[in-house]
Amino acid sequence: MTVILVPYHLDEHLPGLRALLPAAVEPTTVNADFREGDVWSRLGDVGVRTAQAVAETAHGNPVIVSGDCSTSMAVLAGLQRTGIDAGIVWFDAHGDVQTVETSASGYPGGMPLRIITGYRPELIAERLGLKAIAEDRALLVGARDLDPPEIAYLGEAKIRQSKIEDVAEHLPPGPLVLHIDADVIDSDQMPGLRYPVGCGPSVEDVVAAAGRVLATGRVVAVDIACTWFDEAPEWTRASLLSALLAEAAWT
């Protein structure tokens, strides 16, 4: 199993992320050389390097571990470079379908799924070489904290939606990227999340659901977003990563 470590939350370096991986895992680490510019430019710096690392390992079913959901755009772009046209299964408590125009915070980590399905490619997709996927090739799983603009958009969009327990019944066709944001887990079970949401599934439920997606044999990459603060309990974070990596070790 190839593990690609992207130790950043947006453009914030996360040196402690490596220590949470099992000792036996020797990841390929993406190191950014940030240019001057806005956050989209700096995200592009990380993303270009991530896409290249994914492209170099695309046929080995890579697992990408990063600090936020924006890495998913580079994962898809890297696969596309090698001719793998993948849909995406998006485990997340949030919709991540905000736009620059609708987001109250302007947080780029709340926009990746919208960008993946075609929103404003000039922001970052063009630099990554990311080609938009059709909305019905994206499945949003476990989302329960949606802002009004996201509710309005999803009410009209063709993005599929599913509960964790029903994920295997709603998968898009073809090869898939499995994206898992740690905050899909109930915040009582995963303390220290940057954007905690309650009333969600347990760690065990999420790992089991990921296993059902992987069991289809159609997953070509797993993208794990470790959206927590460094102060979060280390044993909890390390245990989750170990469990997901064990499920993902299908090669």
Side-chain angles (χ1 to χ4, degrees):
M1 178 177 63
T2 299
V3 176
I4 299 171
L5 179 66
V6 187
Y8 297 92
H9 171 256
L10 303 181
D11 54 359
E12 173 193 357
H13 188 220
L14 303 176
L17 192 54
R18 168 64 182 92
L20 299 174
L21 295 174
V25 172
E26 297 183 3
T28 297
T29 301
V30 172
N31 294 302
D33 181 17
F34 291 124
R35 307 175 184 178
E36 295 296 326
D38 64 9
V39 66
W40 294 105
S41 175
R42 296 192 294 275
L43 279 177
D45 293 339
V46 178
V48 166
R49 289 166 172 76
T50 303
Q52 182 59 34
V54 171
E56 291 171 356
T57 60
H59 295 286
N61 303 103
V63 178
I64 300 86
V65 178
S66 74
D68 73 270
C69 295
S70 66
T71 304
S72 59
M73 299 181 288
V75 173
L76 279 169
L79 293 170
Q80 289 172 357
R81 291 184 191 184
T82 69
I84 299 174
D85 181 21
I88 196 158
V89 180
W90 194 275
F91 282 42
D92 204 314
H94 307 92
D96 287 358
V97 291
Q98 287 281 11
T99 69
V100 173
E101 295 79 18
T102 63
S103 173
S105 66
Y107 177 57
M111 305 179 196
L113 187 55
R114 189 69 171 266
I115 293 171
I116 285 168
T117 54
Y119 167 72
R120 289 189 61 178
E122 75 278 5
L123 285 173
I124 189 170
E126 289 177 352
R127 184 173 176 193
L128 300 180
L130 171 64
K131 300 174 184 176
I133 68 171
E135 289 177 344
D136 62 1
R137 298 188 62 208
L139 173 63
L140 178 59
V141 184
R144 55 196 185 276
D145 186 11
L146 302 170
D147 292 332
E150 295 183 298
I151 293 171
Y153 167 71
L154 290 170
E156 299 292 335
K158 295 181 180 179
I159 292 175
R160 304 167 185 230
Q161 296 186 64
S162 171
K163 296 179 180 179
I164 285 283
E165 58 269 26
D166 300 327
V167 61
E169 301 171 18
H170 299 278
L171 296 175
L176 299 169
V177 170
L178 175 58
H179 169 82
I180 303 171
D181 185 338
D183 69 24
V184 74
I185 297 166
D186 188 284
S187 56
D188 286 345
Q189 289 212 1
M190 185 58 58
L193 292 166
R194 291 177 183 266
Y195 302 100
V197 183
C199 301
S202 67
V203 172
E204 293 78 12
D205 288 342
V206 170
V207 172
R212 291 194 291 275
V213 179
L214 290 161
T216 65
R218 296 196 284 121
V219 176
V220 292
V222 177
D223 176 38
I224 305 171
C226 303
T227 51
W228 48 53
F229 292 108
D230 284 345
E231 295 78 12
E234 183 172 329
W235 68 269
T236 305
R237 295 179 289 154
S239 296
L240 174 62
L241 281 177
S242 293
L244 290 175
L245 288 172
E247 288 290 342
W250 68 92
T251 60

